[in-house]
Amino acid sequence: MPSKETIFKTLNQTCVAPNIIEPTLFPNTETQPTTDSWYYSDLHNLFGETSFPTQPSFSAHIWQNLVMPTDKNQKRGTPKLTSTDINFYNAHITQITHPYTLDTHHYKNAKDFKLSRYACWCMSRNNPNMIFSRTYFISPVIDPQMDFPTMNAWCYQFARVNLREQLTKYEKIINAIAHKNKINFNEFRRLNRAALFGDSSKSHIAERNDFYISHNTPLADHMGAATLYERTNALDRIIKNINQTQQITQNKILEITFTELNNTRIKMIKEQHIHPENDIFRLSAPQIQSKLMRTERDFINQYAFEKLR
């Protein structure tokens, strides 16, 4: 997968600006393209076969993920969304024939597709690995002049949503293991914090970062994307290690947990130059999710009814 900066630059470079149509006495606004677009071949070359297959099946790949407002005049609030296919294909995908390169093969004159910004968003929004691209395509409703550092910051926050969901799955498993082996839950939770954050006090972490995190809110809700990702991987290794240990005891579980999380902390500081206790944010993951949903609702209202043809 290319770096985020490479993705940002490539999408900017491969964007196909709307055709300029000379005004007439009787302009037909229904057929005038009103949005930027990207060639499917360029997206395939950038993201690869998994996300953009060489032989796209739009009925399966896009339409099943499509949402459109039922009322195009609705400007505020939560639009009522409905699945559709024909209108989407007619408005947001255009089949063309032109010369292009696909992977290492150059075609002099072959079939390709032009996808609107809305179509590109539809294809990336359900792929957790494409959160940067998902953010890129909705960026005009955030800031039409979005630069890479700003885009990267928004992406980092939005990435917390899916990463928090992934961490929750592993937390349920590790907590079940602790409960099964009759480990004191409060002590187990304290050890988890102490190992990863180098500090056993949740309130001290919040005070140090001046975020005033509520004691009733899970600290994981406020973790940054890097910490969420590394902690999830650490819990995965802990669970596998525990399952592979022949004679497991309470002390052994605590030892495995502390050692793995402490090593994760050391690795983050050494390789990423990120201290987990500094990767804490005032806005929680649920609040970020609400923010993302509001942003995408604004995007849907603005771009769903634009036309490529």
Side-chain angles (χ1 to χ4, degrees), residues 160-161 164 217 221-222 283-291:
R160 293 170 54 201
V161 176
R164 178 66 180 103
T217 304
D221 282 358
H222 295 271
L283 287 180
S284 66
Q287 289 173 314
I288 292 294
Q289 184 177 26
S290 298
K291 191 173 185 178

Side-chain angles (χ1 to χ4, degrees), residues 57-75:
S57 175
F58 290 116
S59 59
H61 199 60
I62 296 183
W63 293 349
Q64 65 182 0
N65 298 327
L66 175 67
V67 291
M68 290 188 72
T70 56
D71 181 5
K72 65 180 180 181
N73 296 319
Q74 185 172 355
K75 300 298 183 182

Side-chain angles (χ1 to χ4, degrees), residues 25-40:
L25 291 176
F26 306 99
N28 184 358
T29 56
E30 292 297 321
T31 60
Q32 292 188 27
T34 59
T35 185
D36 294 336
S37 59
W38 286 260
Y39 292 126
Y40 188 90

Side-chain angles (χ1 to χ4, degrees), residues 14-145:
T14 57
C15 176
V16 182
N19 296 328
I20 300 176
I21 300 178
E22 294 296 331
T24 64
L25 291 176
F26 306 99
N28 184 358
T29 56
E30 292 297 321
T31 60
Q32 292 188 27
T34 59
T35 185
D36 294 336
S37 59
W38 286 260
Y39 292 126
Y40 188 90
S41 55
D42 288 334
L43 297 174
H44 168 87
N45 291 335
L46 179 61
F47 296 109
E49 181 70 23
T50 302
S51 300
F52 291 87
T54 305
Q55 298 295 331
S57 175
F58 290 116
S59 59
H61 199 60
I62 296 183
W63 293 349
Q64 65 182 0
N65 298 327
L66 175 67
V67 291
M68 290 188 72
T70 56
D71 181 5
K72 65 180 180 181
N73 296 319
Q74 185 172 355
K75 300 298 183 182
R76 304 185 64 180
T78 304
K80 295 181 179 179
L81 305 178
T82 180
S83 297
T84 183
D85 49 14
I86 299 177
N87 291 340
F88 170 77
Y89 186 87
N90 288 340
H92 294 281
I93 300 178
T94 301
Q95 182 175 317
I96 64 171
T97 302
H98 71 142
Y100 62 89
T101 299
L102 194 68
D103 295 325
T104 58
H105 303 285
H106 182 72
Y107 298 93
K108 292 184 178 180
N109 203 21
K111 181 177 71 174
D112 199 356
F113 296 92
K114 187 187 293 185
L115 278 65
S116 70
R117 180 180 293 273
Y118 186 76
C120 293
W121 169 77
C122 285
M123 297 187 72
S124 63
R125 73 186 184 91
N126 284 343
N127 188 337
N129 295 324
M130 295 181 67
I131 185 63
F132 185 84
S133 302
R134 176 179 175 180
T135 306
Y136 175 89
F137 291 120
I138 66 171
S139 64
V141 301
I142 303 174
D143 180 359
Q145 306 300 324

